[in-house]
Every structure is written in C-alpha cells, then in structure tokens.
Amino acid sequence: MASFNTIDDLDDAQRVLVRLDLNSPVEDGDVQDNRRFQRHATTVKELAEAGHRVVLMAHQGRPGNDTFVSLDQHADILGGYIDREIQFVDDIYGDDALDAIDSLEAGEVLLLENTRMSDDELPEEAPEVKAETEFVQTLAPHFDAYINDAYSAAHRKHASLVGFPLVLPAFAGRVMETEYEANTAIANREFDGQVTMVVGGTKATDVIGVMETLGDKIDTFCMGGIASHLFLRAAGYDVGYDRHEDLDLYDTQWENNEEIIQELYEERRDQIKLPEGLAYEDDDGERAEHTNEELDAANYDYMDISEATVEKYDPIIRDSDAVFLKGALGVFEDEIFSTGTVGAVKAIAETDCFSVVGGGDTSRSIEMYGMDEDDFDHVSIAGGAYIRALTGDDLPGVELLIDAAN
Ligand SMILES: Nc1ncnc2c1ncn2[C@@H]1O[C@H](COP(=O)(O)OP(=O)(O)OP(=O)(O)O)[C@@H](O)[C@H]1O
Ligand SMILES: O=C(O)[C@H](O)COP(=O)(O)O
C-alpha cells in the first residue's frame, strides 16, 4: 500500500502547522460538538504532549452560508477534549496571527481563524498555484513541518490542504492515518472471505459509483434507501418515482441514471440483494409494510426496508469477513423507520468481521440508537472524501502526502 510519513516521523521540538477538519453543524450561531473534535483531539494532544509548538488551521462552512462562522467556539470545544487551553487568534496570516504563532511556547496550541475567510483558500486550483499564494508563502517560513489530519476535506484543492505540502516537509496526523487505512482496505481487497457492502442513502450516483468501481472486489451488495427503490423500479416494481410534485427524490435521479441502473441490475444481479418489501406510515401514524408485489408509489411514501429484508441481510452480514456500510437504509432519524438501518448496523457491530461505517449522516445512527463506536473497526468522519475513496477517485490532499514521502 502506498504510504506517507506520519507524526511518528517528526523530529523533536518542531513548529508544526496542522490542518484539521472541524467543519460542523451550526444551529442559531452555535457550533455543535461532534465526533470530529474528539477524533482530531487525539492528534493535537499527542503533538502538544510531545513538546511541539502546535498551530491549527481549519475551515467552517462556506462564504454566504449560515454555517460560515468564526472558529472561536471551535477552540473551546476542542480544548475540552485535550484538557489544555487552545489559544485562538481571529486572523490567518496577518501580523496578529504571526505574532501569536511566534510567541508560542513548546506544548502550546493555537487555532487560527477560519481558513475560508482568506480569498486565497477556496478556489480549487493546482497545488503549484496554491503553493504560490500569499496565504502559504507568508505562513510557511514560520514552521518546520506541515501535518494534514483533514482526511474528510482531502478531496478539496484548497490552499491550506494542497499548498503547504509543496513548501514544507509533510506528514499525516492520526485521523488521516486511520481513515486512509480503513477506507482503502476495501479497494485493495485485504480479506480472504466474503466481502459485503451495505449501501443506502439518498444519492443514486454514490451507489452507482461504488458498484462500478468496487463491483469486482465486493461479493454482495445489500441495498436500502432511495437507491434501492430505483433498483426495484429497474426490476419492474411499482416504486422509485415521486408522488408529490414539490418533492424530487426519485424522478431526476432516475432520468439521469436509468440506463446505468438497468445495466448494473442486469450485469450484477447475483451480487445485488434488493429489499423484499418497504415500510410506510399508515393512517394511524404506525409503521406498516408492503411486499414488493404490493408496492404502490403513487399512493405511499416508502421510508424504510421491510423487516423481512432485515432478516434477509442479517445472515449475509454475519457470514462476512468484511462489511462496509455507506448511507442509511431508511429514514432512521424517525424511530419507526430506523428498523432497517439499526438492524444492519447492529448485525455489523455484533459480527467479528472487519467493519467500516461511513457517510456523514448515517454514522449518527450509532449514537442515536445507543450503539458503541468501539464495536466497529472504523467509523468514518468523512462524507464526500469517503465516497470518493470508495469510488476510486484520488484525494489530492492524500496524494500530496504520499508524494512528499517519496
Ligand atoms: N426511503 C427513504 N426516503 C427518504 N430518505 C431516506 C430514505 N432512506 C434513507 N433516507 C435518508 O438518507 C439519509 C442518508 O443518506 P445520505 O445520502 O445523506 O448518506 P450519508 O452517506 O449518510 O451522508 P453524506 O453523503 O451526506 O455524508 C438519511 O438522513 C435518511 O433519512
Ligand atoms: O464537511 C466536509 O465534508 C468537509 O469539511 C468538506 O466541506 P465542503 O464540502 O464545504 O468543502
């Protein structure tokens, strides 16, 4: 496996510039704590305890969005996980930032302002172009090493992610290391026995991409979510189209992908396991189910896979050597439609297989339904980067670390 240098390879007492991904939900201006803080805290704590001078960069939201806010709250939340103060400066590479950076003592930690507040950060450009920006050129001379821990943002060609590895010795942080190893294990097929992918969620293109790229590495696809309705439509059932004019969950996805869905369904019929039926909310607000033959998408909104489907997927998961999950099998946020997702996630947790759970939304089902992260080999904190890794796309931020090591 191609690899990179990690923080184990750092010299002592370095001035390190560390890129994290603390991009978080924001409600009424309040940044919501989430597992990204907890995960990155491992890297930050280790660096500070080793006596390095630690300067952190991260982004939050995008200009124009409600979530585009300062990182001052992030400093407090992250500090809570490492039991030491994280200083914050509302500047990125101006005099205030440089003064704060240069006055850091060994073991101290400083967080710079939201990188996306610099005009140099966002436009996606080649690393060589980003390396020449004022952002990178001004900060780099103040450091001995650059550490990228932001696997979940590694698909973006932004200055803080791709500029620095060209001008400073570059290393991977602990989150980068664990995400990379887990998410590439499947592409390298590092398992002897049965490999299963449980795929759901709302985006047909995610599922199609995974099937096209990993179709020969994965033995069985257990399907749920919106994508499974489109495959059931390809199989001839009365489902996979919108009944509300103001809703577009299915029609556009079907129009854009009909041919490839039909093709995949025909070509990979033995590998693809489809729902045996789907669940909807009846007039009393209770969960009710239709078998595939009873499906009637003109009159019902289907929100979960049926219980018979959970029973069908359960032994497949339990007989696997490795199981990867991407996307929810139903609207798990509503308890009556959590049966599919929770059933699959629980079976994965209880099975002694190599397991990776991914998808920004779906990973939330673990804590929502009282499961333990430690029951999985890896719970990814990446959304876009996770699906890109699974579909074989390069992650520029990762590639540059590998190049730097060679
Ligand atoms: N039948 C369904 N109808 C409507 N929504 C569904 C259905 N099945 C699953 N979902 C929704 O899919 C969402 C998760 O899908 P999404 O494509 O966002 O996947 P993810 O991989 O978890 O997230 P992301 O790609 O954003 O990281 C859940 O919030 C769930 O409510
Ligand atoms: O939250 C994420 O998935 C990453 O931080 C990337 O954010 P972006 O989609 O705004 O570039």
Side-chain angles (χ1 to χ4, degrees):
M1 181 171 75
S3 201
F4 32 56
N5 290 322
T6 71
I7 58 181
D8 294 325
D9 303 303
L10 279 173
D11 288 338
D12 290 342
Q14 299 283 285
R15 297 169 302 161
V16 293
L17 179 62
V18 191
R19 178 57 156 96
L20 309 178
D21 184 1
L22 300 177
N23 196 28
S24 303
V26 177
E27 281 170 25
D28 301 326
D30 292 334
V31 173
Q32 308 294 300
D33 192 359
N34 64 89
R35 59 160 70 80
R36 284 185 172 171
F37 287 95
Q38 188 194 356
R39 295 282 179 83
H40 284 299
T42 317
T43 304
V44 177
K45 192 165 188 250
E46 197 177 328
L47 290 167
E49 284 177 354
H52 301 295
R53 291 169 166 76
V54 186
V55 177
L56 310 173
M57 293 187 291
H59 72 275
Q60 173 60 56
R62 281 180 178 257
N65 293 351
D66 290 350
T67 56
F68 183 58
V69 297
S70 163
L71 297 192
D72 55 350
Q73 298 176 63
H74 300 67
D76 290 339
I77 301 173
L78 188 63
Y81 283 103
I82 62 170
D83 293 330
R84 64 175 76 203
E85 188 207 354
I86 295 189
Q87 302 171 37
F88 171 72
V89 58
D90 60 350
D91 188 18
I92 307 168
Y93 55 88
D95 288 344
D96 289 350
L98 299 181
D99 286 348
I101 291 167
D102 293 340
S103 11
L104 271 193
E105 302 282 343
E108 288 187 338
V109 185
L110 168 74
L111 175 64
L112 304 178
E113 183 53 289
N114 187 344
T115 54
R116 292 186 177 174
M117 291 184 179
S118 159
D119 291 340
D120 286 346
E121 172 75 336
L122 271 181
E124 299 246 5
E125 287 166 318
E128 294 73 18
V129 176
K130 289 304 194 191
E132 289 302 321
T133 55
E134 196 184 340
F135 181 164
V136 174
Q137 290 292 322
T138 311
L139 277 184
H142 295 259
F143 295 94
D144 305 306
Y146 168 77
I147 297 166
N148 190 348
D149 209 26
Y151 179 88
S152 49
H155 53 308
R156 305 291 187 212
K157 286 197 204 126
H158 298 157
S160 62
L161 293 155
V162 300
F164 291 100
L166 297 191
V167 296
L168 283 171
F171 303 82
R174 295 295 179 220
V175 175
M176 173 65 77
E177 236 185 303
T178 50
E179 289 273 353
Y180 176 75
E181 277 167 17
N183 296 343
T184 45
I186 190 169
N188 299 332
R189 174 101 205 192
E190 293 166 4
F191 318 97
D192 296 329
Q194 167 92 11
V195 179
T196 300
M197 176 114 205
V198 181
V199 271
T202 53
K203 300 166 218 120
T205 46
D206 283 359
V207 175
I208 292 166
V210 171
M211 281 187 183
E212 286 187 309
T213 313
L214 297 175
D216 296 331
K217 310 266 168 113
I218 289 169
D219 301 298
T220 309
F221 291 95
C222 293
M223 295 194 64
I226 299 286
S228 70
H229 301 196
L230 297 171
F231 277 78
L232 284 170
R233 179 168 173 175
Y237 294 108
D238 185 13
V239 72
Y241 55 90
D242 293 302
R243 75 183 182 107
H244 302 290
E245 272 177 15
D246 52 352
L247 200 71
D248 189 4
L249 278 176
Y250 302 99
D251 292 342
T252 306
Q253 301 209 65
W254 178 257
E255 275 160 34
N256 293 339
N257 302 295
E258 176 180 353
E259 213 173 306
I260 181 72
I261 290 173
Q262 298 274 15
E263 220 174 276
L264 283 170
Y265 177 66
E266 292 305 327
E267 270 175 22
R268 301 201 172 270
R269 203 180 275 215
D270 293 344
Q271 280 169 284
I272 294 177
K273 304 296 171 206
L274 289 179
E276 295 290 305
L278 297 172
Y280 61 93
E281 185 174 345
D282 69 13
D283 293 341
D284 301 323
E286 303 286 334
R287 177 185 168 110
E289 296 189 352
H290 279 155
T291 62
N292 288 345
E293 287 67 29
E294 292 165 340
L295 292 174
D296 171 13
N299 293 300
Y300 295 88
D301 291 323
Y302 295 109
M303 313 282 264
D304 194 15
I305 56 173
S306 65
E307 285 179 19
T309 312
V310 178
E311 280 162 31
K312 169 172 153 177
Y313 293 169
D314 188 88
I316 299 175
I317 292 170
R318 289 177 198 273
D319 285 345
S320 298
D321 249 24
V323 182
F324 293 79
L325 181 135
K326 164 74 179 92
L329 302 188
V331 183
F332 69 87
E333 295 89 342
D334 182 343
E335 197 168 355
I336 65 168
F337 298 120
S338 66
T339 310
T341 307
V342 173
V345 175
K346 277 218 164 107
I348 298 172
E350 286 165 13
T351 307
D352 188 22
C353 62
F354 180 80
S355 53
V356 179
V357 174
D361 289 321
T362 312
S363 317
R364 276 190 299 126
S365 65
I366 294 174
E367 64 256 40
M368 258 182 93
Y369 291 99
M371 291 176 274
D372 191 343
E373 257 192 38
D374 293 341
D375 290 333
F376 307 89
D377 287 274
H378 186 62
V379 177
S380 180
I381 55 170
Y386 177 69
I387 190 67
R388 278 175 178 77
L390 291 183
T391 55
D393 278 356
D394 281 347
L395 301 175
V398 177
E399 294 304 310
L400 287 163
L401 291 180
I402 295 170
D403 292 349
N406 297 311

